[in-house]
C-alpha cells in the first residue's frame, strides 16, 4: 500500500487539493497547506520511489520563489488597472455613458440593451474590472430598463454578460495573469484578444437583435417623452464626417514628416477638433449641433482618449502594460477631477479595493508557489503532461478535453484561481503539442469568462443580485409600483449568454486567425525556398577555401596568418607532398611557432 501511494503521489496530491477546495477552505491556504503536507509525505516516501525528488534542503528554494513573486513587474499592472477602474466607476463615467448612449439607441426596439452592451465594452476597455462594470450598470440601467417594460430575465442577462466583457477585452486583469503564467508578453496577449473580444460583443448584440424580433414586447423602444436629448442623429453624423475629413487632411499633411504615425496623429487632430467644437457649441449656446450630438461627443471622447492612452501606447510599443496601467490611473484621476468628483472618500475606497484585490492575488500566488514546489518534486507536471498529451484525437482532443475541464471547474473556482492552479499544468502539454500559447491563453480567457456567468455560482450574478431590487418599490419617475427581480430571473437570463460564450470558444478554435494576427504578416518569404551555400575550407584542386586561391596558407588565404598549409598536427613539422606534386619539390620550411606570428 505504501509503495502504491509513493508511486502515485502526484494524482493523490491533485485530488486532495480538489477535496480541500470543495470543503470550502480558502484557495490560497488550501494550496499552501496541501503543498506543505505532501512535501513532508514525499520526503518520507522518497526512498520508495524514483519519481519523488524531494528532500528537506529543497525548502531553502522557497524564499527565492516567493521573492520572484514579489518582484514580478508584470503583475504590478493589476493594482494600477484596478485603481483606474474603481476611480472611473466612482467618477460617474458609467452613469453618463449609459444615459447618453441610451438616448442615442432609445428610438429602436432593444435600444437600452444595445446601450448596455456598448457601454459594457467601453467600460471593459477602460477599467478591466468586472465587479465595477456589473455593479455600475446594475444600479443605473436596470431600474430604467424595468421602468420601460423590459423583460426581467433579458435585462438581467444583458447587464451581467456585458460586465464580463472586462474579462476578455484589454486591459483585462485575467489576460495579465494568463500572460504571466504562460510566460508570454502581455502586449501580445492584448493584441490577440482584441478581435475575439469585439466579435463576442457583436454576438451579444446579435442575440438582442434576434430576441427583438422573436419577442417584440420584451424590449420596447423608449417612449418619446423619455428622450430628454431629443433627436439629432443627422447632426451627429455630419459632425463625425467633418471630424473624419479633418483627420484625413491632417494625415496627408503630416505623412511626409511622420510616416506611418501620421494616421494616428491625424485621427487625434480630428477628435480634438470636434471635441473642442462641441464644448464651445454647448458652452456658448451657439446651437450649431443638436443636443444629442453635443452630449454624445462630450461624453464619449474622454473614455475613448483614456483607452488610447492605455491600449494605444501598449500596442504602439511606447509603454509596457505596467506603464500603461500607471498612465491610465493618472488619466482616471484627471477625469474624476474634471467632473468635480475626486475627493478623499473616492480615493480611500479606490485604494482599499485595490489593496484587497492585490492582496488576494498575492496570497494565491504564494500558495501556488508552495504547491508547485512539491507537485513538481513528485513529477506531477510530467503526470499531467502525459495524461493530456496521450488523449485521443491529438491536438483537437486535447483542446476539447481542456475546455470541458475549465468550463466545469469554473462552476467552483473564479478566474484567478483557475489561472494560478490549472493553467501552469496545461501550458507544458499545449506547448509540446505545438499549440501557440498566446492563442491558447486567449481561448482559456474566453472560457474562464463563463466563471462569472455560471448559475448558481457566477460572481457577476452575485454582483447583480446585490444591487437588484429584492422587494417591491415605487419608481422615482413614473410613481408606479415595480415588482422585484428574482434570483431565478437573473439565473435564467444568464443562460443564453453562457451559450454565446461557448459558441465563441468554438469559433476561436475553428478560426485561429482571429488571435494569430498578433504575429503580423511576416516577411512573406517561404522558408522552403531559402538555399544556403557554405564555401569549402581548403580542399583539393587549385582553389583555396572561401573561393580564394591557396598559396600555401591556412584557410585558403595568402600566407594564412603565415601558418603552414596542410595538417598542423603532422609530426616533425614536415610537409607532405601535395596532390599533383608527388615529389614535394616545393616544400616550405616549418614556421617557428615559439614566437607570435608576424602580420607584416
Amino acid at each position: 500500500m505504501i509503495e502504491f501511494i509513493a508511486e502515485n503521489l502526484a494524482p493523490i496530491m491533485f485530488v486532495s487539493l480538489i477535496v480541500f477546495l470543495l470543503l470550502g477552505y480558502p484557495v490560497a491556504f488550501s494550496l499552501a497547506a496541501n503543498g506543505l503536507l505532501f512535501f513532508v509525505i514525499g520526503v518520507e516516501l522518497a526512498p520508495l520511489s524514483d519519481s519523488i525528488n524531494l528532500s528537506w534542503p529543497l525548502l531553502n528554494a522557497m524564499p527565492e520563489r516567493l521573492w520572484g513573486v514579489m518582484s514580478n513587474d508584470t503583475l504590478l499592472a493589476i493594482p494600477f488597472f484596478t485603481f483606474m477602474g474603481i476611480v472611473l466607476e466612482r467618477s460617474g463615467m458609467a452613469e453618463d455613458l449609459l444615459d447618453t448612449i441610451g438616448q442615442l439607441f432609445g428610438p429602436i426596439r432593444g435600444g437600452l440593451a444595445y446601450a448596455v452592451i456598448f457601454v459594457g465594452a467601453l467600460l471593459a476597455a477602460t477599467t478591466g474590472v468586472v465587479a465595477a462594470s456589473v455593479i455600475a450598470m446594475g444600479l443605473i440601467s436596470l431600474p430604467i430598463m424595468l421602468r420601460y417594460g423590459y423583460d426581467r430575465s433579458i435585462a438581467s442577462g444583458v447587464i451581467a454578460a456585458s460586465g464580463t466583457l472586462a474579462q476578455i477585452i484589454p486591459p483585462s486583469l485575467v489576460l495579465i495573469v494568463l500572460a504571466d503564467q504562460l510566460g508570454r508578453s502581455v502586449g501580445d496577449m492584448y493584441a490577440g484578444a482584441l478581435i475575439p473580444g469585439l466579435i463576442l460583443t457583436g454576438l451579444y448584440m446579435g442575440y438582442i437583435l434576434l430576441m427583438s424580433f422573436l419577442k417584440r414586447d420584451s424590449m420596447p423602444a423608449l417612449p418619446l417623452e423619455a428622450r430628454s436629448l431629443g433627436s439629432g442623429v443627422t447632426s451627429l453624423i455630419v459632425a463625425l464626417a467633418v471630424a473624419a475629413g479633418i483627420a484625413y487632411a491632417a494625415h496627408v499633411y503630416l505623412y511626409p514628416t511622420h510616416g506611418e504615425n501620421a494616421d494616428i496623429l491625424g485621427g487625434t487632430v480630428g477628435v480634438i477638433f470636434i471635441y473642442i467644437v462641441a464644448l464651445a457649441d454647448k458652452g456658448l449656446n451657439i446651437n450649431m449641433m443638436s443636443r444629442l450630438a453635443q452630449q454624445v461627443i462630450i461624453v464619449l471622447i474622454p473614455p475613448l482618449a483614456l483607452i488610447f492612452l492605455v491600449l494605444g501606447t501598449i500596442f504602439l510599443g511606447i509603454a509596457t502594460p505596467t506603464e500603461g496601467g500607471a498612465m491610465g490611473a493618472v488619466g482616471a484621476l484627471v477625469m474624476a477631477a474634471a467632473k468635480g468628483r475626486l475627493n478623499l472618500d473616492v480615493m480611500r475606497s479606490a485604494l482599499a479595493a485595490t489593496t484587497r484585490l492585490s492582496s488576494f492575488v498575492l496570497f494565491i500566488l504564494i500558495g501556488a508557489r508552495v504547491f508547485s514546489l512539491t507537485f513538481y518534486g513528485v513529477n506531477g507536471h510530467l503526470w499531467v503532461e502525459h495524461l493530456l498529451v496521450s488523449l485521443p484525437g491529438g491536438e483537437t482532443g486535447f483542446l476539447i478535453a481542456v475546455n470541458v475541464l475549465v468550463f466545469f471547474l469554473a462552476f467552483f473556482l473564479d478566474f484567478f484561481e483557475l489561472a494560478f492552479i490549472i493553467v501552469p499544468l496545461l501550458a507544458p502539454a499545449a506547448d509540446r503539442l505545438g499549440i501557440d500559447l498566446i492563442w491558447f491563453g486567449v481561448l482559456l480567457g474566453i472560457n474562464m469568462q463563463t466563471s462569472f456567468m455560471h448559475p448558481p455560482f457566477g460572481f457577476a450574478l452575485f454582483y447583480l443580485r446585490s444591487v437588484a431590487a429584492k422587494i417591491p418599490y415605487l419608481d422615482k419617475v413614473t410613481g408606479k409600483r415595480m415588482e422585484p427581480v428574482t434570483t431565478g430571473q437573473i439565473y435564467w437570463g444568464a443562460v443564453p449568454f453562457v451559450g454565446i460564450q461557448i459558441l465563441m470558444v468554438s469559433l476561436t478554435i475553428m478560426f485561429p486567425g482571429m488571435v494569430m494576427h498578433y504575429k503580423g504578416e511576416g516577411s512573406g518569404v517561404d522558408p522552403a525556398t531559402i538555399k544556403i551555400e557554405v564555401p569549402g575550407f581548403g580542399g583539393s584542386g587549385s582553389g583555396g577555401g572561401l573561393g580564394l586561391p591557396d598559396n600555401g596558407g591556412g584557410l585558403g588565404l595568402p600566407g594564412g596568418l603565415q601558418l603552414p598549409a596542410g595538417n598542423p598536427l603532422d609530426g616533425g613539422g614536415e610537409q607532405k607532398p601535395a596532390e599533383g606534386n608527388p615529389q614535394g619539390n616545393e616544400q616550405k620550411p616549418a614556421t617557428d611557432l615559439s614566437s607570435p606570428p608576424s602580420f607584416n
Side-chain angles (χ1 to χ4, degrees):
M1 182 65 179
I2 298 297
E3 288 80 3
F4 174 81
I5 294 175
E7 291 295 334
N8 296 277
L9 197 59
I12 294 173
M13 184 179 178
F14 188 77
V15 172
S16 299
L17 175 63
I18 301 298
V19 172
F20 271 111
L21 296 176
L22 291 178
L23 289 175
Y25 290 103
V27 174
F29 301 122
S30 297
L31 285 167
N34 201 48
L36 291 175
L37 173 63
F38 278 90
F39 187 92
V40 175
I41 296 173
V43 170
E44 296 299 324
L45 298 182
L48 302 178
S49 175
D50 294 335
S51 63
I52 300 178
N53 304 303
L54 294 176
S55 60
W56 292 114
L58 191 60
L59 283 178
N60 295 329
M62 186 52 64
E64 189 89 12
R65 293 169 67 84
L66 298 186
W67 174 249
V69 174
M70 303 288 188
S71 58
N72 191 329
D73 289 340
T74 301
L75 296 178
L76 189 59
I78 291 177
F80 282 135
F81 284 123
T82 305
F83 179 80
M84 179 179 75
I86 301 299
V87 169
L88 288 176
E89 188 262 329
R90 299 287 192 275
S91 71
M93 185 187 75
E95 183 177 353
D96 294 340
L97 282 170
L98 282 167
D99 180 58
T100 303
I101 304 303
Q103 294 283 327
L104 179 63
F105 288 104
I108 62 176
R109 198 164 50 242
L112 288 177
Y114 292 126
V116 167
I117 296 172
F118 183 80
V119 173
L122 275 180
L123 291 178
T126 51
T127 67
V129 182
V130 173
S133 299
V134 174
I135 291 174
M137 292 191 294
L139 286 170
I140 300 163
S141 62
L142 184 59
I144 299 174
M145 297 172 83
L146 299 182
R147 178 184 304 154
Y148 296 113
Y150 271 66
D151 181 89
R152 281 169 164 71
S153 294
I154 292 178
S156 301
V158 165
I159 292 172
S162 300
T164 62
L165 288 172
Q167 278 280 93
I168 195 62
I169 294 180
S172 162
L173 298 183
V174 72
L175 293 178
I176 297 174
V177 174
L178 283 172
D180 176 70
Q181 294 299 301
L182 293 170
R184 293 296 184 267
S185 162
V186 177
D188 287 345
M189 191 70 77
Y190 279 178
L194 187 59
I195 290 179
L198 295 177
I199 292 176
L200 184 59
T201 304
L203 290 176
Y204 286 172
M205 289 190 172
Y207 170 73
I208 296 301
L209 178 64
L210 179 64
M211 294 304 295
S212 67
F213 285 105
L214 296 179
K215 298 177 67 175
R216 299 176 65 89
D217 297 331
S218 63
M219 48 185 76
L222 276 180
L224 190 60
E225 60 272 13
R227 304 174 200 166
S228 58
L229 295 179
S231 58
V233 176
T234 304
S235 175
L236 177 62
I237 294 173
V238 171
L240 294 178
V242 171
I246 292 174
Y248 179 74
H251 164 76
V252 172
Y253 177 77
L254 295 171
Y255 187 80
T257 55
H258 292 81
E260 294 181 354
N261 291 331
D263 52 353
I264 297 175
L265 295 174
T268 304
V269 170
V271 169
I272 292 175
F273 173 80
I274 200 65
Y275 185 65
I276 293 174
V277 169
L279 287 176
D281 191 50
K282 182 178 181 179
L284 301 176
N285 291 322
I286 300 174
N287 296 325
M288 181 171 55
M289 299 180 183
S290 66
R291 288 184 59 210
L292 179 64
Q294 288 176 2
Q295 192 69 9
V296 168
I297 292 172
I298 292 172
V299 168
L300 266 185
I301 286 181
L304 290 175
L306 188 62
I307 292 171
F308 175 76
L309 181 68
V310 176
L311 296 182
T313 53
I314 294 173
F315 290 154
L316 291 174
I318 299 173
T320 65
T322 302
E323 294 164 348
M327 290 192 294
V330 173
L333 291 173
V334 171
M335 286 182 61
K339 291 177 176 291
R341 298 180 181 178
L342 183 62
N343 53 50
L344 190 59
D345 290 336
V346 170
M347 290 292 294
R348 186 184 294 114
S349 61
L351 289 172
T354 302
T355 304
R356 280 195 299 270
L357 181 63
S358 302
S359 303
F360 171 73
V361 172
L362 190 62
F363 270 98
I364 291 181
L365 264 175
I366 291 173
R369 285 292 188 269
V370 177
F371 177 83
S372 65
L373 178 70
T374 304
F375 197 66
Y376 279 63
V378 298
N379 285 329
H381 59 299
L382 299 179
W383 168 71
V384 173
E385 182 178 333
H386 176 72
L387 182 68
L388 295 174
V389 170
S390 59
L391 288 171
E395 181 180 326
T396 304
F398 168 79
L399 290 173
I400 293 173
V402 164
N403 280 283
V404 171
L405 173 67
V406 171
F407 179 80
F408 282 106
L409 286 178
F411 277 96
F412 313 104
L413 303 175
D414 77 352
F415 72 94
F416 276 128
E417 295 156 358
L418 287 169
F420 291 135
I421 300 173
I422 302 300
V423 172
L425 301 178
L426 301 178
D431 196 33
R432 183 175 172 184
L433 289 170
I435 297 173
D436 183 89
L437 291 185
I438 293 290
W439 177 78
F440 187 62
V442 172
L443 183 67
L444 291 181
I446 298 171
N447 200 334
M448 288 180 192
Q449 199 174 345
T450 60
S451 68
F452 278 92
M453 295 289 293
H454 276 314
F457 303 112
F459 283 92
L461 308 182
F462 292 158
Y463 298 145
L464 184 58
R465 175 69 281 174
S466 68
V467 297
K470 301 178 182 65
I471 59 174
Y473 66 96
L474 293 179
D475 185 75
K476 296 179 180 179
V477 176
T478 62
K480 294 181 180 179
R481 184 177 185 273
M482 305 296 295
E483 294 299 320
V485 179
T486 67
T487 302
Q489 289 169 338
I490 294 176
Y491 286 172
W492 280 113
V495 170
F497 291 96
V498 173
I500 292 174
Q501 289 170 341
I502 295 173
L503 173 63
M504 189 65 215
V505 170
S506 303
L507 291 175
T508 307
I509 294 175
M510 290 188 291
F511 304 102
M514 289 191 295
V515 178
M516 299 301 291
H517 71 90
Y518 82 92
K519 289 187 172 182
E521 298 179 359
S523 62
V525 177
D526 183 4
T529 63
I530 299 175
K531 184 178 180 182
I532 300 176
E533 294 183 357
V534 181
F537 290 88
S540 59
S542 60
L546 301 176
L548 298 175
D550 193 348
N551 294 329
L555 301 178
L557 298 175
L561 302 181
Q562 297 205 356
L563 297 177
N567 188 347
L569 299 180
D570 290 337
E574 296 182 2
Q575 302 298 317
K576 292 184 178 181
E579 286 186 34
N581 185 17
Q583 303 299 323
N585 296 330
E586 299 181 2
Q587 290 183 359
K588 297 181 180 179
T591 303
D592 182 10
L593 299 180
S594 62
S595 60
S598 171
F599 294 90
N600 296 324

